[in-house]
Amino acid sequence: DRAAVAALAVVVAAYAVHGLIEFNWDYVALSGPVFLVIGLLLGRGASAPRARLGWLSGGATAAVVAAMLFSLAVPWLSAQKVEDARAAIERPDESARLAEDAHDLNPLAVEPLFLWADAEAARGDVSAARRRYVEAVELQPENARTWRELGEFELEVLERRAFAERYLARARELDPEDRVTEDLLAQLGSQQP
């Protein structure tokens, strides 16, 4: 029994050490088993209080399970809405609505914002499209892709070279290996008057 507890404690310790190097809260596949082990370790001596708590313990367990299922389902539903928005891009009003729904479900993801911007541009509302790209940059300012998408929009849709160059330079700063950004910057250079 002590060997099993020691082995489980080693798993938690290894996870903690790994977390110091690269923290993975968002990866259920990695974090879920560790939290299960922590729960098992904490529950080892909890048989007496459990009997006293009765229905409260069951309600708390149900709430935790419901929260876990919700946290797994919402990103999946958002991804489905993103795919639906992508498929509906020929119908910009529907695509914009689906992308907005995806963003509402997962407000930390930038992909719904990109699709929403594409739909707005397809509807002819370039100001709204630009607001979505700016929102993506504000949401994830350390993400090279958000800067690249904004820069590409400035270059190809709004034809504002100075803004495009600034945003693409920031994208290259964040990800010097991105070929798409390099190609866009080369395109800017080849269009010099």
Side-chain angles (χ1 to χ4, degrees):
D1 197 35
R2 287 181 184 226
V5 169
L8 292 175
V10 167
V11 169
V12 173
Y15 178 80
V17 169
H18 176 77
L20 293 173
I21 299 166
E22 179 182 5
F23 204 69
N24 290 308
W25 278 97
D26 56 339
Y27 295 109
V28 175
L30 180 63
S31 299
V34 171
F35 290 121
L36 174 67
V37 168
I38 291 171
L40 290 172
L41 289 173
L42 291 175
R44 291 214 12 92
S47 59
R50 175 185 280 165
R52 280 185 256 143
L53 293 177
W55 65 271
L56 185 61
S57 176
T61 301
V64 168
V65 168
M68 288 173 45
L69 291 175
F70 181 78
S71 70
L72 292 172
V74 168
W76 179 82
L77 287 171
S78 176
Q80 293 304 116
K81 294 279 187 183
V82 164
E83 291 307 313
D84 292 345
R86 186 173 285 120
I89 198 64
E90 298 298 322
R91 299 176 308 280
D93 290 334
E94 182 181 351
S95 183
R97 182 185 53 76
L98 290 165
E100 183 178 7
D101 290 348
H103 176 64
D104 289 344
L105 286 168
N106 190 356
L108 299 179
V110 293
E111 194 65 30
L113 291 170
F114 296 149
L115 283 165
W116 194 358
D118 290 345
E120 295 289 7
R123 291 198 293 197
D125 191 348
V126 293
S127 295
R130 185 177 189 284
R131 280 194 301 274
R132 300 299 158 239
Y133 286 117
V134 169
E135 190 176 343
V137 167
E138 290 171 349
L139 182 63
Q140 294 185 14
E142 298 300 315
N143 182 341
R145 183 171 175 218
T146 61
W147 290 97
R148 184 186 77 216
E149 295 283 344
L150 177 57
E152 185 174 9
F153 182 77
E154 291 284 353
L155 177 64
E156 295 181 355
V157 177
L158 299 178
E159 299 177 353
R160 299 191 317 181
R161 298 173 46 76
F163 286 102
E165 188 170 7
R166 182 179 332 144
Y167 302 144
L168 292 170
R170 178 64 178 141
R172 179 175 47 197
E173 185 180 302
L174 291 168
D175 184 4
E177 303 297 320
D178 182 27
R179 291 299 322 154
V180 176
T181 300
E182 288 304 317
D183 292 344
L184 289 166
L185 285 166
Q187 180 183 341
L188 260 172
S190 70
Q191 294 176 358
Q192 291 292 339

